[in-house]
Amino acid sequence: MSVFLITGGAAGIGAGIAARLVQDGATVIIADKEPAVCAGARSVICDVTDEDEVQSLIDGIAGAEGRLDGIVCNAGFMIRKPVETLSLGEWSSVLATNLTSTFLLVKAGASMLRASHGSVVTIASTRAHMSEPDTESYAASKGGLLALTHALAVSLGPDIRVNCISPGWIDTQHYRIRPEDHAQHPAGRVGRVEDVASLTAYLLGPDSGFITGAEFILDGGMTRKMIYAE
Ligand code: NDP
């Protein structure tokens, strides 16, 4: 049975990915700052920015499950603040969670992933390519994550495949979605956590064996839509 680790899986997209992988029959470990409530998954409290906590997480999987077939590096958050008032601490906290955590997780998990010929999926964002104002730390972290993805793919292949999903707007129940929010998407709707979960399951599995170092834009077509003000 495959063993997958999902970070930030107590809520939102990560919870959706974890539920899908459990449904597919995998053994799932959810690492989050909060306890995760997902039937069939093992919940571990872990701050993925802390190297010692990440090492303990991986050691715990080696001890309990004895193997690791994939890591989904999903934990992340955004600070919206004008660059003139964004503190160095705030900048660093976003980079630590959204980018450095993937380095820590892959560093600690590489030997088990090599043994299983495993796969890593990073969750970046279309904001790696385009921006709204006042999102510098988030955009930089996601652009860095995209670059880290292809660097890892080249370094760790052929044993380990590493791919990136860049979601657009995914409904995680934080906002009330209006009809016009759906309608502006070429696909006709805002994304769902299930959209990210199904692509993640594919990238973790054997059917994607020839894919590594790649980015998948999952945005209902929004980054392909030309917008001019009238
Ligand atoms: P949520 O805030 O709903 O869930 C993120 C989870 O990660 C939370 O449970 C959070 O815990 C946890 N987390 C945050 N920091 C850490 C940490 N240091 N260690 C462990 N767990 C942590 O986010 P989403 O589901 O919306 O986003 C998931 C990923 O997808 C993120 O990387 C995000 O940038 C990306 N993304 C999301 C999009 C969207 O539209 N939703 C679009 C594009 C990308 P807590 O709440 O306690 O902080």
Side-chain angles (χ1 to χ4, degrees), residues 8 10-14 31-34 46-49 74-76 97 123-125 138 142 167-170 172 174:
I13 292 171
D32 200 295
K33 289 190 292 182
E34 309 293 332
C46 175
D47 178 349
V48 294
T49 67
N74 165 78
T97 303
I123 306 296
S125 169
Y138 188 83
K142 295 301 188 178
W169 187 350
I170 305 297
T172 53
H174 287 311

Side-chain angles (χ1 to χ4, degrees), residues 184-198:
Q184 68 176 322
H185 288 73
R189 64 171 175 85
V190 166
R192 306 173 185 132
V193 295
E194 291 81 4
D195 295 317
V196 188
S198 59

Side-chain angles (χ1 to χ4, degrees), residues 73 122-128 138 142-143 145-146 164-167 215:
C73 301
T122 61
I123 306 296
S125 169
T126 49
R127 291 171 188 271
Y138 188 83
K142 295 301 188 178
L145 188 55
L146 191 52
C164 176
I165 299 174
S166 288
E215 180 193 22

Side-chain angles (χ1 to χ4, degrees), residues 29-157:
I29 300 101
I30 297 174
D32 200 295
K33 289 190 292 182
E34 309 293 332
V37 185
C38 173
R42 182 163 75 83
S43 171
V44 179
I45 305 293
C46 175
D47 178 349
V48 294
T49 67
D50 185 299
E51 185 169 20
D52 291 340
E53 290 191 30
V54 169
Q55 189 62 56
S56 297
L57 167 71
I58 298 295
D59 290 346
I61 294 170
E65 282 82 17
R67 63 179 291 141
L68 183 60
D69 298 273
I71 305 177
V72 183
C73 301
N74 165 78
F77 77 107
M78 175 191 280
I79 295 177
R80 278 181 201 259
K81 211 167 174 183
V83 69
E84 296 95 327
T85 57
L86 186 72
S87 72
L88 178 57
E90 289 168 332
W91 165 274
S92 300
S93 70
V94 173
L95 270 288
T97 303
N98 297 7
L99 174 59
T100 308
S101 62
T102 293
F103 157 64
L104 296 176
L105 286 153
V106 173
K107 181 179 179 184
S111 67
M112 275 198 290
L113 289 172
R114 277 193 200 280
S116 64
H117 289 271
S119 175
V120 175
V121 177
T122 61
I123 306 296
S125 169
T126 49
R127 291 171 188 271
H129 301 280
M130 59 200 306
S131 293
E132 290 178 307
D134 305 329
T135 58
E136 278 69 23
S137 56
Y138 188 83
S141 71
K142 295 301 188 178
L145 188 55
L146 191 52
L148 178 59
T149 300
H150 62 68
L152 289 170
V154 170
S155 299
L156 301 178

